[in-house]
Amino acid sequence: MTNQPTVETEVGRLQRSGRDVSTIPAVLSQWLSTVMPGGVTPDVTVESGIDSNGMSSETIILTGRWDEDDRPVEEKWVARVAPTAQDVPVFPTYRLDYQYDVIRLVSELTDVPVPRVRWIDTTGEVLGSPFFLMDHVSGSVPPDVMPYTFGGNWFADAPAERQRELQDATVEVLAKLHSIPNAGETFGFLTEIDPPGPTPLHRHFGWLKQWYQFAVADIGRSPLVEQALQWLEDNFPTDVAATEPVLAWGDSRIGNVLYEDFRPVAVLDWEMATVGPRELDVAWIIFAHMVFQELAGLAGMPGLPEVMREEDVRATYEELTGARLGDLKWFYVYSGVIWCCVFMRTGARRVHFGEIDRPEDIESMFYHAGLLKRLIEEKP
Ligand SMILES: Nc1ncnc2c1ncn2[C@@H]1O[C@H](COP(=O)(O)OP(=O)(O)OP(=O)(O)O)[C@@H](O)[C@H]1O
Ligand SMILES: [Mg+2]
């Protein structure tokens, strides 16, 4: 998910969430001896000081070392650990096993690059919370902190043609994911927690409204979110909602992709994956950039106005898929509300852990509030 601009190490987060980091290597080594083939018991090292874009689950980088036929073997893995209720999680329910299954299915059904998923503990008994291991992939992510639109990073400082190459290759990822046939059946498990409704979008919208209420319980109401939810209700895109649903990656942003030479080498962060209209992902990828543009503007910087323009993304996507996208505005507002709910939760967490005082107005933490207001106030 998306991050508030705070800098903290994953090890710091582990300590904060009450887990003793020093026991992780021995515990994981023992557990790996039960799941790895060949009776191997690897030595496990936790790499510290991970520079992560993440905020809603824990990501730990590990190295495993063992001998095979008297030769040393070394593998680098990433553990993704589900948050516990004490961590003040972003989402009310969290299915780490579903993320594992989606990544595995995407690797089987497409040539979209995803990390190879390895072993999963669904019981929570090993680390105190479910987790899985995947292969570590080398690459670079456009940074969230500070936002890549602020400049001074590999993506912002690259020539425009290379930025466009990265954009097109990432839109191609969406096109490929959305071309998986029978997504509603294959990935139906992802929508199991959504309340009933006539279409996947109605159901997802129902889930969003429940999520907002969950967030309100800890941090209070937001009139802006409630106004936006009403707007979404009043302008519900019945036609788009009725189209054949696709696998939506969910948190489709360039900040969730590892790139090598401007090409995706690993598509990460599947915790918001769902089934629904293709517009969900297409709008999200554009909106995420709009938010970063907004931030650059607030900081008095030009940002990257040529990147992720709707007309370009739409043209690339439609050419690759042969599909026609509907109007994206409803989906921008929808994305904006999701960002608000994330900030309500990450705000509640920072209050809970004493990092900030409880804000008088939760909307002061929505740094995209201006953008969202403009969207719902502008004439169609
Ligand atoms: N398989 C991997 N190989 C290499 N690096 C990875 C891998 N998975 C995650 N990372 C690193 O961890 C960071 C966070 O990963 P990811 O986006 O999946 O988590 P996040 O969902 O943003 O965190 P959160 O869900 O906690 O908000 C990535 O930006 C990347 O730097
Ligand atoms: Mg992420």
Side-chain angles (χ1 to χ4, degrees):
M1 243 339 299
T2 40
N3 209 342
Q4 291 279 23
T6 57
V7 177
E8 57 181 346
T9 66
E10 296 299 317
V11 171
R13 286 169 57 190
L14 279 172
Q15 281 157 349
R16 193 178 61 187
S17 62
R19 221 163 276 139
D20 183 356
V21 203
S22 66
T23 63
I24 290 179
V27 167
L28 280 183
S29 172
Q30 203 285 322
W31 174 72
L32 282 164
S33 73
T34 68
V35 291
M36 285 177 70
V40 162
T41 304
D43 276 331
V44 175
T45 315
V46 175
E47 316 280 342
S48 56
I50 301 152
D51 183 16
S52 163
N53 267 359
M55 198 57 195
S56 64
S57 65
E58 291 166 350
T59 306
I60 314 167
I61 301 188
L62 307 161
T63 306
R65 293 184 184 84
W66 65 96
D67 284 336
E68 234 167 66
D69 303 326
D70 293 329
R71 297 233 304 273
V73 183
E74 185 175 308
E75 288 192 2
K76 205 165 168 186
W77 301 308
V78 175
R80 197 164 165 82
V81 188
T84 65
Q86 299 81 50
D87 295 339
V88 192
V90 168
F91 300 104
T93 52
Y94 198 86
R95 290 297 302 254
L96 197 83
D97 50 338
Y98 288 177
Q99 293 176 39
Y100 182 89
D101 290 339
V102 176
I103 299 173
R104 187 179 48 74
L105 284 165
V106 166
S107 79
E108 284 169 19
L109 298 171
T110 71
D111 62 2
V112 169
V114 285
R116 176 156 76 122
V117 287
R118 304 297 289 265
W119 308 282
I120 182 163
D121 171 55
T122 54
T123 68
E125 282 161 18
V126 180
L127 289 183
S129 196
F131 70 96
F132 67 81
L133 296 190
M134 59 186 144
D135 284 351
H136 180 270
V137 180
S138 307
S140 307
V141 181
D144 282 357
V145 182
M146 299 302 285
Y148 60 80
T149 44
F150 284 28
N153 60 77
W154 65 271
F155 178 63
D157 299 344
E161 316 80 73
R162 304 246 58 198
Q163 291 170 349
R164 182 60 196 262
E165 202 180 312
L166 180 148
Q167 172 181 317
D168 290 348
T170 315
V171 173
E172 191 181 2
V173 164
L174 298 187
K176 286 178 174 170
L177 293 174
H178 297 175
S179 302
I180 300 174
N182 303 321
E185 278 159 48
T186 310
F187 297 97
F189 61 93
L190 294 171
T191 63
E192 185 174 87
I193 53 163
D194 297 351
T199 68
L201 188 61
H202 285 91
R203 299 181 60 205
H204 198 268
F205 189 26
W207 166 84
L208 175 59
K209 287 181 267 192
Q210 289 179 353
W211 182 28
Y212 168 65
Q213 292 304 336
F214 167 75
V216 166
D218 278 331
I219 200 84
R221 292 182 42 223
S222 157
L224 174 60
V225 172
E226 291 175 15
Q227 191 193 346
L229 285 172
Q230 188 58 52
W231 186 95
L232 289 168
E233 203 83 71
D234 296 343
N235 294 279
F236 191 83
T238 312
D239 293 356
V240 173
T243 55
E244 174 81 14
V246 300
L247 167 67
W249 166 17
D251 200 356
S252 52
R253 333 182 271 122
I254 61 175
N256 278 326
V257 182
L258 281 161
Y259 296 93
E260 193 82 77
D261 197 26
F262 297 82
R263 311 281 311 172
V265 288
V267 176
L268 307 173
D269 211 339
W270 293 84
E271 68 193 11
M272 285 170 55
T274 189
V275 168
R278 45 185 85 240
E279 285 79 1
L280 281 172
D281 272 347
V282 176
W284 187 266
I285 205 170
I286 299 169
F287 186 80
H289 181 72
M290 282 183 194
V291 175
F292 276 23
Q293 274 302 99
E294 182 82 1
L295 280 172
L298 292 171
M301 291 184 246
L304 301 168
E306 308 292 306
V307 170
M308 290 292 167
R309 287 193 310 209
E310 176 178 322
E311 64 207 274
D312 297 335
V313 173
R314 185 183 275 279
T316 309
Y317 181 90
E318 291 187 344
E319 190 186 305
L320 289 169
T321 56
R324 282 273 151 265
L325 289 166
D327 188 39
L328 292 182
K329 172 156 170 187
W330 190 89
F331 292 88
Y332 293 146
V333 174
Y334 198 75
S335 304
V337 170
I338 295 177
W339 278 71
C340 290
C341 292
V342 170
F343 291 152
M344 289 174 78
R345 295 304 296 156
T346 52
R349 173 160 51 199
R350 292 171 70 194
V351 171
H352 176 83
F353 287 103
E355 293 171 5
I356 53 167
D357 291 331
R358 179 174 293 276
E360 269 185 32
D361 176 8
I362 181 59
E363 291 175 11
S364 64
M365 304 193 78
F366 301 168
Y367 50 59
H368 65 307
L371 173 61
L372 182 56
K373 278 182 202 152
R374 290 198 301 280
L375 280 167
I376 54 183
E377 279 160 15
E378 81 190 2
K379 293 283 161 274

